[in-house]
Amino acid sequence: MKRIFFNVAIITMFAAGAKAQVTIGSLDDPQTFSVLELIGNGKGMRLPQLTTEQREDLNFGSEATGKAMGLQIFNIDTKCVETWNGEEWIMQCYCGSQPCPEPTGTTWTTIQWVGAFWKDDQTGERIIASKVSNQNDTWIAEVVNTPESDGSWINLDGNVYSDPAIWTDSPGDAENHQLPSVRKTSVSGTGNILFRIGATSTNPAELTQDYPSADGGMGKPPRYAKVKISINGGAPDTVFCRQGESADYVFSPNNTYGSNVERSLAAKFSPYNLTASNLTDGDVYADVAHLGGTFVDYPTQAGAFFQWAAESGYERRAYHPTGSVTGLSINTPSEFWSTLKSVHETCPQYWRRPTSGADNAVTTAPASESELMQSLFYTTFDGENENYHNANYRYCGYYADGYFDRRQITNSIHNFANSAVSKDTKDVAYAGLLFTNPDSGNSLFMPTGGILLNTGTLDETGFTAAYWSGSSKQQGYGWEIMLYYGNSSIALHHSDTGDYGYSVRCVVDDIDE
């Protein structure tokens, strides 16, 4: 894409009776077409230096589309010259010494972006970049604003981004790349889809114990919205937006539709997978204290693998997510989770593993007793499903959380196409599945981080994920929920043994809630 940027500085402080044309820095007359010429003599012109916050404090009043047009500043947050065009601030800059990059390599894919995520205190850009089949295709992205979906906090922008390191392994912080203050509710274009989504403000909700934060303290209820993307006027895809990192429901106990059972056991899930704070890229595993796991920083990050339970000396090991490992326990204690959790629980205090039936007896995982079913599935089913049960209101794709959308998307370690970023690090992140509530818009993303076989071999990264529960089909054999990205399916299984390494997604411990 060619871009031509014009930076024009206009100084209007002329004394009465002064010449209509002025040269500064030379005795030569200005050109006939210039009202002002600056001769540098080895020096430059320095525009007013403002932060984004200071820029937003400028009050144009009734002159926003009049005399304020053409005002220029240098934004020290975006490192850009910006010009007010009467409606919004336009960034006029190059990314470092080179033109701002376009998506390259496998970052341009046809895979759907299913959601966007901000923490309570975040508002910065989330980048949506998708390839279309025909470069003559036209597209439009629109904020949904209905009584069921309040999109008033969502802002869209089709202008170029300003991060010189975008789509690399070390991009800039999205919070340093804000959208214009004048809100847009739609953007459109021809050819590949490229636009930004931002939040107009931090989460304004009040703190409450009903929505616990990661440390079990008071948090804010997340808020949700939707952006629809249509190509050539066809049926739209939806980007489900969420602002807020506190635990929340997908389906709450008050939601009875779509299911053949009541949802009295529905639980509030963390938006993050579990890992260990002491796990580094030089480790095969890290030992975790009882209740000592920590949450990853972004919803797309895989976190660590954990065994359901392990023999003495192997308890609570967090295994690195990107390679085959040694040191797996091969002897799972033959007890129920109600007994084992006093030693083997890795979810932090105030959190626990979800259940799929009783945790103190053998269970066949009926939906009427399953937190997993009642919390995540629009249509529930009983027991094990080997046929990869397709779930309604569940979507496969990318999640723009300020981490995944800013990095180069590549094949996973197991060559599942266009599914991973930072794939050789402990912070590896993946595409995945998004569970949604069709009425409230509540959503929860879970990445497909693969599974760790009991041989220590890593398998199916970017394609499959398994998440432990605290229930057993027989002693020592945990139930887990399996996500299959490639064929858009979800299944409930019981493991043949508890010594596989799976992901853990914690729920609020209702005893302490």
Side-chain angles (χ1 to χ4, degrees), residues 28 60 145 169 231 285 301 313 360 372 393 402 413 479 510:
D28 295 337
F60 297 146
N145 198 15
D169 290 335
I231 299 176
Y285 64 84
Q301 290 177 331
N360 60 355
L372 285 171
Y393 303 106
I413 292 173
W479 283 99
D510 51 11

Side-chain angles (χ1 to χ4, degrees), residues 284-447:
V284 173
Y285 64 84
D287 289 313
V288 177
H290 179 239
L291 307 181
T294 57
F295 296 120
V296 296
D297 292 326
Y298 297 91
T300 56
Q301 290 177 331
F305 293 115
F306 297 85
Q307 294 181 292
W308 193 71
E311 61 191 293
S312 178
Y314 292 82
E315 307 98 325
R316 304 181 307 274
R317 285 186 173 176
Y319 292 93
H320 198 282
T322 66
S324 298
V325 304
T326 57
L328 281 169
S329 167
I330 59 173
N331 296 308
T332 303
S334 295
E335 302 286 347
F336 292 114
W337 189 247
S338 58
T339 299
L340 294 171
K341 65 184 179 182
S342 62
V343 172
H344 297 271
E345 179 64 88
T346 48
C347 288
Q349 187 177 10
Y350 309 111
W351 301 83
R352 60 175 174 80
R353 296 184 191 184
T355 62
S356 193
D359 70 354
N360 60 355
V362 169
T363 178
T364 58
S368 60
E369 299 176 10
S370 174
E371 287 180 335
L372 285 171
M373 280 288 120
Q374 295 183 29
S375 300
L376 302 179
F377 286 70
Y378 179 80
T379 303
T380 61
F381 60 91
D382 293 326
E384 188 160 13
N385 188 296
E386 294 288 352
N387 295 317
Y388 308 149
H389 184 87
N390 286 300
N392 295 321
Y393 303 106
R394 175 271 310 116
Y395 305 92
C396 297
Y398 295 153
Y399 201 57
D401 57 0
Y403 185 83
F404 190 93
D405 54 308
R406 305 188 71 76
R407 286 163 171 78
Q408 181 67 51
I409 301 172
T410 64
N411 295 348
S412 72
I413 292 173
H414 294 97
N415 286 321
F416 189 70
N418 309 326
S419 61
V421 304
S422 304
K423 68 177 181 180
D424 297 317
T425 75
K426 68 178 180 61
D427 298 319
V428 60
Y430 293 100
L433 280 78
L434 186 76
F435 295 88
T436 69
N437 183 316
D439 283 357
S440 67
N442 287 26
S443 59
L444 182 76
F445 182 82
M446 300 176 79

